[in-house]
Amino acid sequence: MTSGIHHLTAITRKIQANVDFYVGFLGLRLVKRTAGFEDAQQLHLFYGDGAATPGSLVTFLAWEDGSLGRVGHGAPSEISFAVDREAIGFWLTRALQCNVKMTGPTQEFGEPVLRLTDPDGIIVKLVGVDEYGDWIWWKDGGIAEADAIRGIRGATILSEKADETASFLERHTGFKPASVEGAVQRLVSDSGQIIDVRNAGGFWTAAPGTGTIDHVAVRATDVQAVDDLHKALQAENAGDINVHDRQYFYSLYVREPGGTLIEVATDAPGFTADEPLETLGSQLFIPKHFKADHEALKVMLPQFGLPGEERVIYRDLPFVHRVHMPENWDGSTLVLLHGTGANETAMLPLGRKVAPNAMLIGLRGRSTDEGYPRFFRRLSQTVFDQKEIASEVEAFVAFIEDIGPAYGVDPARMTVLGYSNGGNMIGATMQLRPEVIRKAVLLRSMNVLEDRPAVDLSSTRVLSLSATDDFYGPLAGELEDRLLSAGAQLTAKVLDTNHGLGAEDEVLVSAWLQERNV
């Protein structure tokens, strides 16, 4: 067993703020950006020193919709980084200048400690040390080498079974007991990194969620060491044990007796396995075991900007939404509305295929009467809540009006595309507020309004695609008739398919948009 910490993993809800804190404020390097190994629609960010050295790494899973977690026994409570002892004054001044919440400095185990709070509320300790092992300064981090973070100093674990927790870590991770200070038992590795086990008897149990630390990963020499540990843990009846090839390391997961998740990870092959050291962290990777379209998955993951890069500043608008910018924006915008049960990311892959150079804005419906996101309440398959339709249309109109000043959307180059319930919402909007939408794509849509407003849609262009093998297919005709009667320039096609969307939809929508310079 290689003694030391490999990485620490936590959970963030505030992705851009997380990047700004760990890269912009702390000066760490973003060394890898991937989809989650368990969930391809979850962003996973890795920070470290200039060479992504094992022992310098802290990683974050992004839970944009995650509920706030709770720090308690059975989980880590603090991340600590090592800095030069003389650098504590620099960091104290920097925290004050950057308005970062902090306490200290204090003395813990004879070391100066400054506690910071990251944007999600996670406690990050900067610990002054006299010596530190191998680390590579990240010269582009904006922090002088003398003041820069060296790597992980350690982590604090809260446990109701502190003695059992410490004993488990000693037997299986290469950490050895050192000194005790109050309720804290310090364990030290050969690398000098530490795990502090705090006796949290009588404290509440941890709850997973944003703003919490998920697990501590310690280092293993190689795959064989992980497999040998697996056998030893099985012989000890240590509970559920999971072994995974994480592409950049091979690892094992197990819970110590107090409940904290411990990972044991190999140093190799490391983060240069799929991109060179010089450009480390610049590409977004999807783990190879996911069989879905990797390009589609990339579009569904949230975007962010490193310090100095352009980024989308999200505004507080009436609908939860996701903005996805192309590499080369042509000034056009595609606003996307999902079908029942989906969310703001569901239509982004289709949007990117049919409009490669458009800004994409995906919305999430606000009605959840059946437990699924929708744009308005459904009373039966063909009967809908008329009052809610009217009120949600007004909210949608406000959203459309706001995205101009919020994101630079040009109304003349905006198309609104909706699938199923989302398309129904667009159809209702065109009838109730005809001045708002000038170009629309309706996929598997129907009319949902009981009244028939008298409106003028002569300046509106619409593509409607229905299907033969679809309960709602025959119902598209009434909506198309209403739009035509109101003067809309309508292109309607019936596809030999079902309610789902396919390649033919993509081809037809793409061609229609190109003809209209979208």
Side-chain angles (χ1 to χ4, degrees):
M1 181 68 65
T2 296
S3 179
I5 288 178
H6 185 279
H7 68 268
L8 303 172
T9 292
I11 303 169
T12 179
R13 182 170 184 160
K14 303 174 182 179
I15 299 165
Q16 184 62 67
N18 182 270
V19 173
D20 289 342
F21 181 83
Y22 286 91
V23 176
F25 176 74
L26 292 181
L28 300 177
R29 184 181 187 183
L30 177 65
V31 297
K32 191 66 63 177
R33 57 181 90 185
T34 75
F37 286 95
E38 303 295 336
D39 181 356
Q41 295 184 33
Q42 179 183 72
L43 185 67
H44 195 175
L45 301 179
F46 297 74
Y47 306 104
D49 69 6
T53 307
S56 72
L57 305 167
V58 59
T59 92
F60 282 87
L61 298 166
W63 291 9
E64 288 186 299
D65 280 334
S67 59
L68 186 65
R70 182 179 65 210
V71 176
H73 64 76
S77 62
E78 296 177 323
I79 295 170
S80 64
F81 291 107
V83 298
D84 187 89
R85 188 179 286 265
E86 298 300 319
I88 289 293
F90 164 82
W91 286 103
L92 173 62
T93 301
R94 183 170 174 81
L96 290 170
Q97 291 173 337
C98 297
N99 198 31
V100 172
K101 184 179 178 181
M102 67 166 182
T103 59
T106 60
Q107 288 284 319
E108 296 179 10
F109 292 92
E111 298 169 331
V113 173
L114 186 67
R115 275 183 170 79
L116 310 174
T117 303
D118 86 354
D120 289 287
I122 294 172
I123 300 301
V124 176
K125 296 198 302 186
L126 299 182
V127 181
V129 298
D130 294 317
E131 296 181 0
Y132 194 80
D134 295 335
W135 68 287
I136 304 297
W137 175 52
W138 175 230
K139 61 182 178 60
D140 294 331
I143 308 296
E145 185 174 4
D147 298 319
I149 288 173
R150 270 61 173 153
I152 296 293
R153 173 58 172 151
T156 302
I157 290 175
L158 302 183
S159 177
E160 269 199 321
K161 304 175 180 179
D163 291 341
E164 293 180 51
T165 297
S167 176
F168 179 92
L169 294 173
E170 182 182 358
R171 292 196 309 276
H172 297 302
T173 69
F175 282 75
K176 298 177 176 62
S179 53
V180 176
E181 193 171 277
V184 178
Q185 165 72 64
R186 172 156 289 187
L187 305 176
V188 180
S189 67
D190 293 340
S191 68
Q193 292 172 312
I194 58 94
I195 295 177
D196 285 338
V197 179
R198 178 178 290 276
N199 189 330
F203 201 44
W204 52 67
T205 306
T210 61
T212 63
I213 305 166
D214 185 71
H215 65 267
V216 175
V218 299
R219 295 170 65 183
T221 51
D222 51 31
V223 171
Q224 187 61 54
V226 175
D227 288 341
D228 289 345
L229 176 60
H230 188 190
K231 294 175 183 176
L233 291 169
Q234 286 180 316
E236 196 177 286
N237 294 318
D240 292 337
I241 306 165
N242 297 297
V243 178
H244 299 278
D245 182 352
R246 296 306 196 194
Q247 188 171 339
Y248 310 112
F249 45 84
Y250 179 80
S251 68
L252 170 156
Y253 295 84
V254 64
R255 292 194 181 275
E256 52 81 18
T260 296
L261 183 62
I262 303 295
E263 182 180 7
V264 181
T266 60
D267 286 359
F271 289 97
T272 56
D274 51 12
E275 59 183 335
L277 180 63
E278 295 73 22
T279 59
L280 209 59
S282 61
Q283 296 186 58
L284 173 60
F285 290 94
I286 306 296
K288 297 175 182 178
H289 62 271
F290 288 111
K291 303 305 181 185
D293 183 346
H294 282 200
E295 292 306 311
L297 290 171
K298 287 179 181 179
V299 176
M300 298 177 77
L301 292 170
Q303 294 177 309
F304 59 88
L306 292 173
E309 293 181 345
E310 290 188 15
R311 77 269 302 273
V312 173
I313 305 298
Y314 277 85
R315 307 303 182 187
D316 186 13
L317 301 183
F319 288 82
V320 172
H321 59 286
R322 171 74 64 78
V323 178
H324 193 277
M325 294 298 296
E327 290 186 12
N328 299 297
W329 184 34
D330 62 9
S332 65
T333 301
L334 196 57
V335 178
L336 301 152
L337 281 68
H338 62 77
T340 297
N343 62 22
E344 66 275 16
T345 69
M347 299 297 292
L348 294 177
L350 172 67
R352 184 54 68 225
K353 288 180 180 178
V354 301
N357 297 313
M359 178 199 303
L360 305 180
I361 304 179
L363 278 69
R364 183 193 304 176
R366 308 193 304 181
S367 179
T368 56
D369 63 296
E370 296 176 345
Y372 305 107
R374 297 174 56 86
F375 285 94
F376 46 79
R377 195 158 67 102
R378 182 174 69 176
L379 305 180
S380 73
Q381 280 190 293
T382 58
V383 179
F384 305 89
D385 186 327
Q386 299 299 297
K387 288 185 178 179
E388 187 170 54
I389 291 173
S391 64
E392 289 304 294
V393 163
E394 290 305 312
F396 180 52
V397 169
F399 180 89
I400 294 296
E401 291 174 344
D402 286 344
I403 59 176
Y407 302 119
V409 174
D410 179 357
R413 301 207 60 198
M414 179 189 72
T415 301
V416 182
L417 181 153
Y419 165 62
S420 191
N421 182 251
N424 300 347
M425 178 69 164
I426 296 170
T429 302
M430 286 191 290
Q431 294 180 71
L432 294 175
R433 293 293 299 272
E435 75 283 4
V436 175
I437 297 173
R438 288 291 172 260
K439 292 187 287 289
V441 177
L442 308 177
L443 306 175
R444 315 296 189 268
S445 305
M446 62 172 287
N447 176 62
V448 294
L449 293 181
E450 295 173 1
D451 294 334
R452 186 165 182 148
V455 296
D456 179 6
L457 294 174
S458 56
S459 60
T460 303
R461 291 173 286 179
V462 182
L463 172 66
S464 175
L465 302 180
S466 57
T468 55
D469 186 20
D470 180 9
F471 172 83
Y472 294 100
L475 303 179
E478 182 187 352
L479 177 57
E480 293 166 356
D481 175 69
R482 287 183 176 218
L483 299 178
L484 272 174
S485 299
Q489 302 170 48
L490 175 69
T491 302
K493 294 183 180 295
V494 180
L495 310 185
D496 186 17
T497 185
N498 54 31
H499 193 70
L501 302 178
E504 188 175 5
D505 293 279
E506 295 171 6
V507 170
L508 291 171
V509 174
S510 178
W512 189 84
L513 292 174
Q514 289 179 32
E515 289 172 3
R516 284 147 188 83
N517 193 31
V518 176

